[in-house]
Structure formats: structure tokens, C-alpha cells
């Protein structure tokens, strides 16, 4: 059974209120080869330790769309008419906990709808992680990784944008 964690992404545009941090944890139970051998089932937990945050952004030209990108390592850039106004800008961080040395499979969506308080919306696309090609929990049963994406900005969505990235994780 896959395990899901939800990362609430927060992006503050120029007419927003102060940011709020959020995190979510989720766990459920599956068996891994190691757990099956000892007749114990250890859950695989997904914990969001840092939500993705693009800080404060504005679009200098409402006729021109642009984007803000945050890669998994924390590098950030803007394109088009988008201007970074400062604020807290961070890539997301996730911690998996489970069976020591177990191989895991992690999936994130390609795109997520981001909604402003007034109901307008935009997209977070090109979501990626810094996971190795074959992710494995460490001897302590933990694995941390970063994630990021590209936020598309046009004249539509203004305010504190929020969305949820569903993170599916399971033992291989």
C-alpha cells in the first residue's frame, strides 16, 4: 500500500498576508522483505519537514506571464516579468522513516493547482526531487530529500497561493 504525505505549498504574491508554515505527516503499514522475514511489519512514514515556499513575488507586467523556479537544492530563479521581492524562499524537504536499508519508491505529481484566497489559480509544474535513481533508507531507517518546481505566474492569481503535493512512498 502506498504511503502519502501532503506538502502544502505556500507562495506569497505582493498583496498577501504574512506566510504561515505548515507540515503534514502520514503513515500506513506495508511489509518489506526484511520485515516479512522477522514477521514484523514496520510502517513507512512520510514527513514534510520543510514546505516549499517561493517568498514574495510580483509580476511587473500584467500582460506578460513569467515563472519562479525553486529546485530541490534551494537554487531559485525568476523569468519573464516576475520580480522576487524577498521573504522566505525555500525548497521543500521530506523525511521518510521505515525499515533500515530498505529500497523505496517515491512518486510526486507533475503539476499541482495553486489557489489564491479569491479563488483564482495558477499551476506549480515540473516538480522534481534530488532523490538518487534507486532510493534506499539508511541504516537508521531514514531518508531525507528535497523537492522543488516551477510556479507559473500571470495576471490572474494574487495573494497567498496554496496547493497540495501528494507524495506517494512505498517499499520496493
Amino acid at each position: 500500500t502506498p504511503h502519502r504525505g501532503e506538502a502544502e505549498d505556500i507562495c506569497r504574491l505582493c498583496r498577501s498576508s504574512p506566510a504561515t508554515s505548515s507540515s503534514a505527516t502520514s503513515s500506513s503499514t506495508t511489509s518489506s522483505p526484511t520485515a516479512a522475514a522477522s514477521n514484523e511489519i514496520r510502517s513507512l512514514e512520510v514527513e514534510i519537514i520543510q514546505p516549499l515556499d517561493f517568498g514574495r513575488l510580483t509580476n511587473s507586467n500584467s500582460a506578460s506571464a513569467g515563472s519562479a523556479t525553486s529546485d530541490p537544492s534551494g537554487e531559485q530563479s525568476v523569468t519573464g516579468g516576475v520580480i522576487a521581492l524577498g521573504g522566505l524562499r525555500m525548497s521543500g524537504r521530506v523525511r521518510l522513516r521505515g525499515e533500515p536499508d530498505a529500497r523505496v519508491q517515491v512518486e510526486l505529481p507533475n503539476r499541482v493547482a495553486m489557489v489564491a484566497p479569491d479563488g483564482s489559480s495558477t499551476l506549480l509544474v515540473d516538480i522534481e526531487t534530488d532523490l538518487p535513481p534507486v532510493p534506499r533508507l539508511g541504516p537508521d531507517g531514514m531518508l531525507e530529500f528535497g523537492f522543488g518546481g516551477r510556479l507559473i505566474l500571470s495576471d490572474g492569481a494574487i495573494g497567498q497561493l496554496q496547493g497540495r503535493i501528494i507524495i506517494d512512498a512505498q517499499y520496493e
Side-chain angles (χ1 to χ4, degrees):
T1 308
H3 310 287
R4 293 185 174 192
E6 294 180 359
E8 185 168 308
D9 299 312
I10 299 173
C11 173
R12 294 173 288 143
L13 300 181
C14 62
R15 292 188 218 161
S16 69
S17 60
T20 58
S21 292
S22 66
S23 64
T25 61
S26 174
S27 67
S28 62
T29 303
T30 64
S31 61
S32 71
T34 306
S38 66
N39 292 330
E40 291 182 30
I41 298 175
R42 185 166 180 181
S43 66
L44 180 61
E45 297 176 22
V46 177
E47 177 185 6
I48 309 308
I49 55 178
Q50 175 58 57
L52 179 60
D53 193 327
F54 286 90
R56 296 178 63 84
L57 304 168
T58 190
N59 196 346
S60 65
N61 180 355
S62 63
S64 170
S67 65
T69 301
S70 177
D71 74 14
S73 70
E75 292 293 320
Q76 299 196 344
S77 62
V78 294
T79 64
V82 176
I83 298 172
L85 300 175
L88 193 58
R89 297 171 50 190
M90 295 179 280
S91 59
R93 299 278 315 154
V94 174
R95 179 181 298 131
L96 301 179
R97 289 186 183 149
E99 195 66 36
D101 298 314
R103 287 177 42 174
V104 292
Q105 184 177 33
V106 179
E107 294 180 19
L108 282 78
N110 251 355
R111 60 180 45 210
V112 171
M114 303 292 288
V115 181
D118 67 0
S120 59
S121 65
T122 190
L123 290 174
L124 176 65
V125 297
D126 303 330
I127 299 168
E128 59 182 16
T129 72
D130 60 5
L131 283 166
V134 181
R136 181 180 296 275
L137 301 178
D140 60 356
M142 292 196 295
L143 172 65
E144 286 189 17
F145 65 92
F147 68 95
R150 184 168 55 96
L151 183 66
I152 308 296
L153 295 173
S154 62
D155 61 344
I158 296 175
Q160 187 172 352
L161 299 172
Q162 295 187 354
R164 294 199 182 276
I165 298 175
I166 305 297
I167 300 172
D168 287 330
Q170 60 187 339
Y171 290 113
E172 278 197 353

